[in-house]
Structure formats: structure tokens, C-alpha cells
Amino acid sequence: MITILTNKILNKSSTPSKRADGRASDDLRPFKIEAGVLERADGSAYLELGGNKVMVAVYGPRELHIRRLMQPDRAVLRCRYNMAPFSVDDRKRPGPDRRSIEISKITSEAIMPAVFLERFPRSTIDVFIEVLEAEGGTRCAGITAASVALADAGVPMRDLVVACAAGKSDGEVVLDLSEAEDKDGEADVPVAIMPRTGEITLLQSDGHLTSEEFEKALNMAIDGCMKLSKAQKEAIIKRYGD
Amino acid sequence: MKTKTGAFVLPGDALGVTEEYDPAEWTFDDDGKIRSLVAGTVSLDSKNKRISIVPKTSSPAVLKNGDVVYGQISEVRGQRALMRIGGIKDNKRGLVTNFSGGIHISQADKGYVAKLTDEFRIGDLVDAKVTKIIGLDNVDLTTAENELGVVKAMCTNCRAYMKQINKKEVLCPRCGRKEGRKISSKYEG
């Protein structure tokens, strides 16, 4: 059932690499995306990006029992980003913490513009993002996988939101930071876009960048998004196309 | 932007223009362009000038006319029996919101019905067909078909599940009470 989509972009770049894993500055880590991996969820997806392993389940649109959250004219999109205790080298204390609450919030806000929530008044769409293994860039991996899972659930959407990070490590602006590059690096810029229109739905910036570096990182991240977007579409075609 | 019937499309893929076609099921109008909402195959109706998508994924469970639903009777009034709808038959996905349904006395059975309490009682599990959708979460139902009606009846006396004795009546195996019902051909006892 699981097949590896080989990353043809890898090692094709012109610039010689200074990065620890031998990637060029504008290379993504090898990735694969699979749709419809869970039996009991309405929609699901599995994504690997380098050392990241992320599983997403979508339930709904379904009945919302918490009446104070209910919207009379549209559905609510609830996201839960959760890291497994075994996803990192040191055991992560289970349960939501400050970081995962923030990522849950920004994930739902990044995906929301693409979803036709107004078609399902008074209901909820629940997205559960479980990080099984983490190696830098899990929030982007989560968003990318979540939109595949939403499409798998048959939720009406304008576009498939895709996310990718760029940043600065060892004085060089690079795409798709790994864990080591993120930790020792100078900056991290996660970007989520709707690839058809190019609209940005998430833009964060952590660390120090000059305005030129920021612009370079942003453009690099958008290029990375476009590559991932292709894999997202292939994952759905592989599951449902003929 | 020429699409053909049977082509596989993804959410957001362009299908045509609104000058030429009407955006029908699972499509939307994006500033004059017709785009797909879901992953599925294109269905082009050139006679009626409509583009629709046949979803390949499972779809959210929204009630529409003609759907057969199952549920439990929550109240029986003089003219109307109310039902909590559990879900659509043969659809694994739960409903998007909780719907409540009403079966009018004229829609309960094929012939004349003198008393609605001879057709349904509180707690009965019922199969019914949607005839009309009122607002966001209210529907009108009918059980005037052979395979619609009570699937499992509860005794009003002791709440035990009742056995069918003839076309119109059920018997409680525990207390021996006899009651009338609109019994479905799929009654499970």
C-alpha cells in the first residue's frame, strides 16, 4: 500500500551544497504523500518529509455538540496538532502545550480560506494532526497533509493549501530547514499558500533576516510549496483517479 | 479550458465558464469561471448546459429529497409524529447536523389513519423517506411505502421489543400487550 514517491528534484540544483545532508540551498528533503490511509476516519492522509512522519485524520462535517462554538451561518474548523511522546529524541510530555496550541490555531487559520465552511452551517470539521516523528518543519508538513485529508473527506474546497518553510542557516538562505538547521540557524520562515492563486494563508518569521534575505526566503518557500503541491495532487489522483 | 465527461479533476480545477454552462453539483462559480469543489469526475450535460462533478471520494451526509433515513420517534402528537434522525441508510458517514423529522398523519400510511398512536409510539425505530426540507435542520418524512415504517417497536407498557403478529399489529413477549403499528416489510422484531 505504501509507495515512495521519489523526489526527482533532489540533487538537480546548480549551486554546490554546504548543507549537512548534501542538499542544495533550494532542495526539499525527500517526501511522499498518501491519501486515505485510515479506515474509520472520513478522510485521512500520511506524509513523510525527510525525517518527519505525520498522520492526519479528518472527521466531518459533523454535528457540533458545543453550542457556544456553533456558528449559525457556517461550520467551524477545529484543528488539533499533537506530537507523539516518541516523536522526538527526548520524550515529549504528552498533551497540548503552548507550542502545539499555537500550531493548532495557525493550522486552522491557514486552511480555512480554502474550505467552503458556509455550506455546512452549525456543524464542525475536525482535523487531527498527529506527528509520529519530528525532524524540523512539522507545522508545514501538518498543513500540507491536512489539506490532502480534507480533499479525501470530500470537503468542498477552493484549492489544496500547501505549506513549506525556508530560513537561514550558516549564513545562507535555504529551503526546508531540517531539525539541526532550525536549531543552529538564524531564521525560520514557514509559508502556506493556495497554489492556484498564489494567495498566502500563513506567514510566520522567527529569527533575524534582512529584507532582501526575507524576500529570498519567501520566494524560495513558495517554490517549495509548488513542488509539494504537485505531490499532493498526485496523492489524490493515486487514491481516486484511474 | 475544454473539459470532457469522465475527466478526473481536483478541488479548484477549472471546468468552464459561466457564459457557456451552469455550475451544478459540486462546482462553484469563481468570478465567471466554473471550478470543481471536490476530487471526482466531470459530468457534462451539453443539452441543459450544466457542468457537475461526480465525487470519487465519500461525501458529507446532507439530507436531500428522496433519501431514506433511520431514526427514533421522540414524540407522537395528534397530527404529527416527531423523529430524531440518526442518519442516512447505507451511508457510513454521520449527518452534518442533527436533523429532526416530522411524519404527518396523512403521510404515515397508504390508507386512512384514524389515530397516529396506532402507527407509531415513542421509542420506535423507524425507516422513513425525506419528502421536504424545511430550513436548516427540519425535514418532512413519509412512511407510506411497504419497506418504510417501524423496524423495531417498543412496548409502551414495559419497553420490551415487540414481536410482529400480523400486518398491522405487534405483541409484547413480556407483558402480552397488543399494539398497532405501521410496520415495515423489514421489521426485525
Side-chain angles (χ1 to χ4, degrees):
Chain A
M1 194 166 167
I2 291 169
T3 43
I4 293 169
L5 298 170
T6 47
N7 188 358
K8 290 181 191 107
I9 317 128
L10 206 75
N11 298 326
K12 266 194 181 168
S13 189
S14 45
T15 42
S17 167
K18 279 192 283 180
R19 297 171 80 172
D21 48 6
R23 280 187 290 157
S25 63
D26 58 350
D27 271 350
L28 290 163
R29 287 169 283 179
F31 54 82
K32 69 164 196 178
I33 310 175
E34 205 176 319
V37 289
L38 298 173
E39 176 69 29
R40 305 272 300 166
D42 291 332
S44 58
Y46 174 73
L47 179 141
E48 281 180 19
L49 175 65
N52 292 311
K53 293 189 169 122
V54 183
M55 184 91 85
V56 180
V58 169
Y59 296 86
R62 65 179 174 182
E63 195 187 335
L64 179 54
H65 295 286
I66 309 168
R67 299 196 75 94
R68 68 190 155 80
L69 295 181
M70 208 186 261
Q71 300 284 334
D73 56 342
R74 65 193 142 93
V76 293
L77 183 72
R78 295 190 293 185
C79 289
R80 189 179 107 118
Y81 167 97
N82 187 43
M83 283 177 95
F86 49 81
S87 63
V88 279
D89 286 343
D90 312 306
R91 180 184 131 94
K92 191 218 166 258
R93 204 166 170 270
D97 52 15
R98 204 176 69 110
R99 178 175 166 276
S100 67
I101 292 166
E102 179 213 318
I103 295 176
S104 303
K105 176 178 177 287
I106 58 111
T107 303
S108 93
E109 283 169 5
I111 296 168
M112 224 185 281
V115 182
F116 281 85
L117 293 175
E118 62 273 19
R119 298 227 167 180
F120 306 101
R122 296 195 214 174
S123 56
T124 178
I125 301 170
D126 294 330
V127 180
F128 296 95
I129 300 161
E130 297 292 329
V131 179
L132 306 176
E133 279 182 41
E135 203 238 9
T138 51
R139 72 184 69 197
C140 293
I143 291 168
T144 306
S147 43
V148 175
L150 280 165
D152 181 47
V155 174
M157 287 197 290
R158 264 169 265 268
D159 207 350
L160 292 172
V161 177
V162 58
C164 184
K168 191 179 168 191
S169 171
D170 256 346
E172 195 191 0
V173 178
V174 290
L175 180 68
D176 190 24
L177 297 145
S178 67
E179 170 113 71
E181 286 170 325
D182 190 20
K183 229 171 233 157
D184 307 325
E186 293 92 317
D188 180 22
V189 182
V191 180
I193 61 165
M194 293 201 268
R196 188 165 51 77
T197 53
E199 287 169 281
I200 293 171
T201 63
L202 166 74
L203 177 58
Q204 293 183 307
S205 182
D206 177 23
H208 298 286
L209 286 172
T210 65
S211 57
E212 292 84 49
E213 283 170 341
F214 175 77
E215 210 158 297
K216 192 176 172 197
L218 180 59
N219 288 328
M220 221 177 225
I222 289 171
D223 286 344
C225 285
M226 291 304 184
K227 288 173 191 164
L228 282 168
S229 169
K230 218 181 266 171
Q232 275 183 319
K233 288 176 180 164
E234 274 164 19
I236 296 168
I237 292 168
K238 192 157 185 298
R239 175 81 170 79
Y240 292 106
D242 16 48
Chain B
M1 202 145 61
K2 267 248 150 70
T3 41
K4 273 190 287 202
T5 298
F8 187 77
V9 290
L10 293 163
D13 282 359
L15 308 170
V17 287
T18 46
E19 281 101 340
E20 196 177 358
Y21 288 101
D22 248 357
E25 288 84 46
W26 300 112
T27 61
F28 70 105
D29 175 0
D30 176 36
D31 268 339
K33 284 196 179 120
I34 300 170
R35 295 186 184 280
S36 171
L37 280 171
V38 291
T41 49
V42 181
S43 155
L44 211 92
D45 182 353
S46 30
K47 201 172 153 202
N48 298 312
K49 291 283 170 200
R50 281 155 57 90
I51 293 184
S52 57
I53 301 290
V54 181
K56 282 261 185 162
T57 61
S58 69
S59 294
V62 184
L63 290 186
K64 50 184 192 304
N65 284 346
D67 281 343
V68 177
V69 297
Y70 58 88
Q72 194 164 27
I73 299 290
S74 57
E75 197 182 336
V76 184
R77 294 187 191 150
Q79 297 285 304
R80 190 175 280 276
L82 302 182
M83 179 171 136
R84 268 193 306 272
I85 296 172
I88 303 173
K89 273 224 145 173
D90 308 320
N91 191 336
K92 270 206 279 178
R93 292 182 67 159
L95 289 171
V96 297
T97 47
N98 58 329
F99 284 88
S100 64
I103 308 165
H104 191 256
I105 191 162
S106 63
Q107 299 297 316
D109 212 337
K110 279 173 190 157
Y112 173 71
V113 176
K115 258 167 66 199
L116 201 53
T117 46
D118 290 338
E119 308 290 308
F120 305 110
R121 287 299 184 107
I122 288 177
D124 288 354
L125 298 168
V126 175
D127 281 350
K129 192 180 264 181
V130 177
T131 52
K132 195 178 167 195
I133 292 152
I134 306 149
L136 283 174
D137 56 357
N138 217 320
V139 292
D140 268 353
L141 302 167
T142 177
T143 55
E145 272 173 49
N146 284 337
E147 58 275 16
L148 301 177
V150 177
V151 182
K152 235 168 166 25
M154 260 182 172
C155 175
T156 36
N157 205 18
C158 66
R159 310 309 285 161
Y161 287 119
M162 302 175 96
K163 289 258 174 295
Q164 183 173 6
I165 46 172
N166 58 45
K167 255 193 114 184
K168 289 280 333 168
E169 279 176 310
V170 284
L171 179 80
C172 177
R174 195 150 61 187
C175 66
R177 190 183 162 89
K178 226 198 261 177
E179 285 178 12
R181 287 290 194 282
K182 161 67 180 96
I183 299 167
S184 157
S185 60
K186 291 176 187 151
Y187 190 80
E188 284 171 24

